[in-house]
Amino acid sequence: MLTSDESIASLVRSKQYDSVMRSVPLATAAVVLNSLIVGGMLSGDLPDLWLLCWTVLTVTLGLWNLQQWSVWRRRKRPARVSSSRMHKLTVVGGVWGLLWSALPALLLAHDADGRHQGLLVATITVTLGVGSVCLGGAPRAAYAYVAAMSLGALTGYVASSGALQVLGPLQWLLYAGLIITAVRAVNLNVHARMNAEVRADHQNQLIGLLLRDFEEQGSDLLWEIDASGRLCHVSEQLAVSLGSKAELLNGRSLLAMLGELQTDLREADRESAHTLHQRLTEGQPFRDVMLPMKVGGQQRWWSVTAKPVVDERGTALGWRGVARDVTQARMADRRLAWLAHYDTLTGLTNRAHFRVLLEQALQNCRRLKTAGAVMCLDLDNFKGVNDTLGHPTGDALLIEVGRRLKEAVGKADVVARLGGDEFAVLLRTTGEEVEVSAVAQRILDALREPCMALGSTVPVRTSIGVARFPQDGTSVDEMMQHADLALYDAKANATGTMRYFVQRMGEQVRRRLVLERDLRDALELNQLSLHYQPKVDLATWRIIGFEALLRWQHPQHGNIPPSEFITVAEECGLILSMGAWALQHACAEAATWPEHLQVAVNISPLQVMTEDLPATVEGALRLSGLAPHRLELEITESVFINETRGTVNRLHALRKLGIQIALDDFGTGYSSLAYLRRFPFDTLKIDRAFVRELLISRDARAIVRNILALAKSLRMATVAEGVEEPAQVAVLSAEGCDIVQGYFVARPLPAHEVLPFVRQFRERSRPHMPTGFHLGSTEHATLAGATTLSSVTQPATLA
Ligand SMILES: Nc1nc2c(ncn2[C@@H]2O[C@@H]3COP(=O)(O)O[C@H]4[C@@H](O)[C@H](n5cnc6c(=O)[nH]c(N)nc65)O[C@@H]4COP(=O)(O)O[C@H]3[C@H]2O)c(=O)[nH]1
């Protein structure tokens, strides 16, 4: 690569050398001819030998020059010419000058009669001019030539006589001076131009190398089209990037080629080719025009920048530009934009984008008087699924739910995942109750079937809260809040239902939110306690144990019933710590009771789903020292709704510890009989709803009878809950129930009243059981001689 001034000088010398060599054939021919003419004319006036030698020398030098010329022509021109070669040229110039200077030097002194003066002066003057012109490209050679010739001419003029002796040198000096000045001036010019050319060449090479290097190293590609839009100077890099070869691309129309690369693109993407066409037509420089194309079946994105190339008169010569493959950056941008709008797990609209869409829908509603609705829903059992089956299954469930939701709504509607297990639907085309309800029903139907998530069959339970616009709200926050309130309401009533927002919901939900907040502190602030309700054996009328029931004494709201706060605790996951607390306290309390008394503790389905339940129970027993057979765990049928192999295994593990397991609220749930077969419960608790109806409904009595028979055949003990009247005791006893529990015996007692109650109870005799009980035709119970305790206070006083 050319880098130094010396390199540039050598290129300049090369151009000088070339300019001299180009004139060699003509100049040699002229000189040889000249020397032959002069030789012929002077023959006889000069010694023959001298003349012969001069002519031979001149012709030989001419021939040698020709030979040098032919070598120069045949050889590939040397890019660089050394200064020694230029010296050689100077010497040759000097030798030519000396040869020609010999003529005047010798002849003018000997030409006494002046016969040849005219010819001689004309010849040497012309030869001076011609030689200088031929050597002019290499000024030093020209100077050497002029100097050598001047030596001979001046010597000759001085040795001559007459006017020539004075005027000859003057004339010669004038000519020589003129020639030197002209050669110098021309040469300075030429030299400057050559220098500029060489430097420009040098720079072009350098730029070329840099650009090639730039193309090879970086991601930028250089491209060029001519005035007719055809690609020229296509680099390998550019060709490879276009999936072709440079020789195939050179001369092809850029736009036609892009058209081919864009045929497989979407209409919107193809528009950019049109933009490029427009920019090229406008003739204005442009920057970063985005150009999609498909190369080798892969979507690529190029950012194209270019400016027109014009000549000095402003005529368009074409375009030159840079293209950069920005596919990666574009993909990353798209991904970022996607992430900003969609949920990565389900691919549904995310919360932020949902709010934007809702805002647009509300604006349309105001402008175009349209209507719509927002639905909020979440999965009741999602936390349990995550805790028991693991997060991957939870994720698979969310994906499946998202898919079903999309299927259930219309094309114009938006389904979003707001986070966790919260979903929302935006109906943009209707707010009509009939249509909204139909969509909600389709959603509930779609989610009714259990989902297959990573091999597990997971039942889905959801409720829907709906707020409609314009009537239920005008802002995004208001709409979302109202749909949420409706959802709370739906969940509080029954799972699998939908509720429309109505104004009263606000107050209820606010209370619920306050409860949730305060419940988090309740344990630490010692606001929770356990009350104990006795269970009595019907055969012996002895207390066999107590059921532990949670109580919450709220500082502002007073006594809050478990029916209200247990659901809240389950929803926010607090039930796990509260349940563990209840277990430890109940065990510790029961350990202070007489040995024959059991304690029953309610266990939430969420607790049963957690793997560490057996460890928690074992810990409570160990800490309290309570014998395992004195502990009974009451679980409800809902445990089996999300049943997994783990659930049943856990129950078996608990039984292995020696603990009793009771099935609570039997008869109120789903397919109760199936559950009984799945796990061998020790005790079956008949829900108080049946006991309440016992005296007034034949059906209830028939159900109770069947439950008791079933339990007997499965060798389970039976407990009837909510027994309030002696007549109920009589019937239950007659039907073969083992144990009763209810206000008839006692309301749940604070811990410190348990032992006094037990002592007092022992002293009491079995109550008088009414006889002759039968159901009247109106199904209202009549009980001959029965003491009906309709408003029982504790403890029940029996005659
Ligand atoms: N009308 C009427 N009611 C009677 C009668 N006898 C007892 N009861 C009430 O019936 C409920 C029996 O408890 P449950 O069915 O396990 O139902 C319980 C249980 O499901 C849940 N619960 C209470 N404590 C706990 C606990 O520590 N853990 C869990 N997970 N749940 C609990 O809260 C529910 C309600 O508890 P409580 O309000 O204490 O209500 C208790 C009790 O006070 C009666 O003769 N008539």
Side-chain angles (χ1 to χ4, degrees):
M1 195 171 87
L2 301 174
T3 51
S4 65
D5 282 354
E6 170 47 30
S7 300
I8 293 171
S10 76
L11 283 173
V12 173
R13 283 197 294 269
S14 149
K15 287 188 180 277
Q16 290 176 328
Y17 187 76
D18 289 353
S19 79
V20 173
M21 290 310 272
R22 244 178 261 126
S23 60
V24 165
L26 268 181
T28 307
V31 164
V32 170
L33 189 67
N34 224 5
S35 61
L36 291 176
I37 294 170
V38 169
M41 288 176 70
L42 295 180
S43 152
D45 290 330
L46 283 175
D48 283 347
L49 183 63
W50 191 94
L51 203 56
L52 183 69
C53 285
W54 182 83
T55 307
V56 168
L57 271 177
T58 310
V59 173
T60 308
L61 190 58
L63 291 174
W64 182 75
N65 277 177
L66 272 180
Q67 188 265 333
Q68 289 291 303
W69 171 80
S70 110
V71 171
W72 169 80
R73 265 209 56 185
R74 271 195 319 244
R75 261 215 314 240
K76 208 173 152 220
R77 282 183 212 179
R80 289 180 241 184
V81 167
S82 63
S83 48
S84 65
R85 188 178 291 194
M86 292 307 284
H87 287 146
K88 213 157 106 187
L89 204 63
T90 307
V91 172
V92 172
V95 171
W96 272 116
L98 283 177
L99 269 179
W100 282 101
S101 74
L103 282 183
L106 293 173
L107 204 66
L108 285 175
H110 292 88
D111 187 20
D113 54 2
R115 246 182 334 125
H116 299 299
Q117 265 184 16
L119 170 73
L120 211 53
V121 168
T123 304
I124 59 170
T125 307
V126 168
T127 309
L128 175 73
V130 170
S132 303
V133 168
C134 291
L135 291 170
R140 283 193 187 157
Y143 300 152
Y145 176 72
V146 173
M149 272 205 80
S150 299
L151 198 67
L154 289 176
T155 310
Y157 281 133
V158 172
S160 67
S161 53
L164 193 64
Q165 194 178 28
V166 181
L167 293 177
L170 275 178
Q171 188 196 31
W172 185 266
L173 287 175
L174 200 66
Y175 285 164
L178 263 175
I179 285 172
I180 286 173
T181 311
V183 167
R184 200 166 171 272
V186 169
N187 224 75
L188 275 179
N189 241 337
V190 170
H191 191 269
R193 189 169 49 80
M194 281 180 180
N195 221 334
E197 266 176 30
V198 168
R199 278 183 189 279
D201 266 5
H202 177 219
Q203 241 152 15
N204 276 347
Q205 282 182 38
L206 202 64
I207 288 169
L209 284 172
L210 285 175
L211 290 180
R212 206 169 318 131
D213 192 48
F214 172 70
E215 268 194 340
E216 277 162 13
Q217 303 293 318
S219 54
D220 286 8
L221 301 159
L222 304 167
W223 59 272
E224 201 175 332
I225 52 173
D226 60 19
S228 60
R230 290 174 195 289
L231 283 161
C232 36
H233 307 132
V234 176
S235 69
E236 274 309 316
Q237 218 82 357
L238 179 66
V240 168
S241 301
L242 289 170
S244 184
K245 289 190 174 145
E247 57 268 28
L248 297 178
L249 292 178
N250 267 319
R252 285 208 59 195
S253 155
L254 172 71
L255 291 174
M257 188 205 64
L258 285 178
E260 281 170 24
L261 291 175
Q262 294 188 317
T263 40
D264 286 347
L265 296 180
R266 294 179 307 147
E267 191 56 43
D269 284 342
R270 250 182 280 154
E271 263 178 33
S272 53
H274 178 67
T275 315
L276 185 72
H277 184 256
Q278 232 176 355
R279 296 288 165 84
L280 292 177
T281 319
E282 283 163 6
Q284 292 299 318
F286 58 84
R287 172 169 282 282
D288 295 331
V289 168
M290 211 44 92
L291 215 57
M293 58 183 87
K294 275 221 170 137
V295 181
Q298 283 193 330
Q299 166 97 50
R300 314 292 313 170
W301 287 89
W302 283 18
S303 164
V304 180
T305 298
K307 65 178 202 173
V309 181
V310 287
D311 64 12
E312 56 277 5
R313 277 169 299 171
T315 314
L317 300 177
W319 290 77
R320 215 171 271 148
V322 193
R324 174 178 297 174
D325 189 331
V326 290
T327 312
Q328 295 288 331
R330 177 94 188 180
M331 301 284 228
D333 280 356
R334 279 192 164 187
R335 179 90 186 126
L336 280 180
W338 191 87
L339 286 177
H341 292 97
Y342 297 96
D343 170 50
T344 41
L345 179 68
T346 58
L348 298 174
T349 302
N350 65 13
R351 180 186 285 273
H353 191 42
F354 184 80
R355 289 179 65 88
V356 172
L357 296 176
L358 177 55
E359 177 62 53
Q360 288 169 2
L362 291 172
Q363 279 173 9
N364 281 349
C365 166
R366 277 191 290 275
R367 252 196 0 257
L368 310 167
K369 303 279 172 265
T370 53
V374 174
M375 295 179 174
C376 281
L377 49 144
D378 59 19
L379 310 181
D380 294 350
N381 50 339
F382 184 68
K383 196 180 174 317
V385 173
N386 254 351
D387 290 345
T388 54
L389 300 175
H391 286 265
T393 309
D395 287 351
L397 175 67
L398 292 174
I399 293 170
E400 176 60 12
V401 168
R403 194 188 63 76
R404 291 189 189 184
L405 286 175
K406 281 210 84 128
E407 270 180 17
V409 303
K411 276 210 166 65
D413 306 328
V414 181
V415 178
R417 178 174 170 231
L418 305 181
D421 63 335
E422 288 177 64
F423 293 87
V425 175
L426 169 62
L427 304 187
R428 294 194 270 204
T429 50
T430 182
E432 284 296 316
E433 190 167 327
V434 189
E435 293 173 49
V436 176
S437 299
V439 177
Q441 195 51 52
R442 279 209 301 278
I443 292 175
L444 291 174
D445 290 345
L447 296 179
R448 193 152 288 142
E449 281 293 303
C451 291
M452 275 302 288
L454 295 186
S456 303
T457 311
V458 187
V460 186
R461 278 178 292 148
T462 188
S463 308
I464 303 177
V466 186
R468 286 172 293 164
F469 48 88
Q471 62 266 51
D472 293 341
T474 49
S475 72
V476 171
D477 284 335
E478 215 177 352
M479 287 302 300
M480 294 303 289
Q481 201 183 357
H482 289 170
D484 258 346
L485 288 177
L487 174 62
Y488 268 113
D489 195 67
K491 285 164 65 133
N493 283 286
T495 188
T497 54
M498 72 92 88
R499 282 278 187 281
Y500 283 101
F501 169 77
V502 284
Q503 287 301 333
R504 67 161 173 81
M505 287 175 179
E507 197 34 58
Q508 291 171 359
V509 173
R510 256 187 291 283
R511 178 175 158 86
R512 199 184 169 87
L513 290 175
V514 168
L515 280 191
E516 184 177 329
R517 190 196 60 201
D518 294 350
L519 196 56
R520 293 183 189 279
D521 301 329
L523 256 184
E524 277 183 24
L525 298 176
N526 250 347
Q527 292 169 358
L528 295 180
S529 63
L530 285 172
H531 280 203
Y532 299 90
Q533 188 173 39
K535 295 181 195 172
V536 171
D537 180 79
L538 268 177
T540 60
W541 203 248
R542 305 276 304 260
I543 296 174
I544 53 121
F546 288 81
E547 177 181 358
L549 294 157
L550 264 174
R551 295 290 176 263
W552 179 17
Q553 190 61 37
H554 191 282
Q556 280 92 43
H557 303 294
N559 197 3
I560 297 175
S563 52
E564 204 172 327
F565 72 81
I566 292 289
T567 335
V568 178
E570 280 175 341
E571 276 169 14
C572 63
L574 273 176
I575 194 67
L576 298 179
S577 51
M578 279 172 56
W581 180 90
L583 254 171
Q584 281 160 17
H585 275 71
C587 289
E589 195 63 42
T592 66
W593 300 342
E595 291 252 316
H596 67 280
L597 292 180
Q598 266 197 336
V599 68
V601 181
N602 287 284
I603 300 290
S604 153
L606 275 179
Q607 286 175 276
V608 183
M609 283 183 194
T610 54
E611 278 177 18
D612 54 0
L613 179 66
T616 311
V617 173
E618 228 180 326
L621 290 172
R622 204 178 43 249
L623 276 176
S624 62
L626 187 75
H629 72 271
R630 292 181 62 199
L631 175 64
E632 185 173 58
L633 301 183
E634 293 190 7
I635 62 167
T636 56
E637 289 171 322
S638 52
V639 161
F640 294 101
I641 295 174
N642 293 327
E643 180 197 332
T644 60
R645 190 182 292 277
T647 316
V648 178
N649 287 347
R650 226 161 284 137
L651 293 177
H652 280 293
L654 289 167
R655 274 196 79 190
K656 270 201 190 126
L657 293 174
I659 288 160
Q660 310 272 303
I661 310 248
L663 183 59
D664 204 1
D665 304 336
F666 187 74
T668 55
Y670 311 83
S671 49
S672 316
L673 297 178
Y675 301 140
L676 288 182
R677 265 200 238 110
R678 241 173 268 174
F679 185 77
F681 290 96
D682 299 289
T683 309
L684 201 147
K685 294 189 82 175
I686 303 166
D687 193 71
R688 65 172 181 272
F690 297 111
V691 177
R692 194 173 49 231
E693 302 282 304
L694 201 55
L695 304 180
I696 52 173
S697 158
R698 282 178 202 281
D699 289 349
R701 185 161 177 174
I703 290 171
V704 169
R705 183 179 300 140
N706 280 317
I707 294 174
L708 291 171
L710 180 80
K712 208 135 269 151
S713 68
L714 292 171
R715 286 182 297 284
M716 294 180 190
T718 46
V719 179
E721 290 183 303
V723 177
E724 294 182 354
E725 301 176 34
Q728 292 166 331
V729 179
V731 173
L732 288 165
S733 180
E735 295 292 353
C737 180
D738 301 317
I739 300 157
V740 289
Q741 176 188 350
Y743 294 169
F744 178 74
V745 178
R747 284 179 178 257
L749 308 163
H752 67 270
E753 288 184 18
V754 168
L755 288 177
F757 179 82
V758 173
R759 272 193 297 275
Q760 192 191 353
F761 194 83
R762 245 188 255 139
E763 289 152 20
R764 267 191 238 149
S765 58
R766 172 187 274 274
H768 166 72
M769 288 299 157
T771 51
F773 168 78
H774 64 92
L775 285 171
S777 56
T778 55
E779 290 218 343
H780 281 278
T782 53
L783 200 54
T787 315
T788 307
L789 305 176
S790 52
S791 58
V792 184
T793 50
Q794 58 162 312
T797 47
L798 299 171

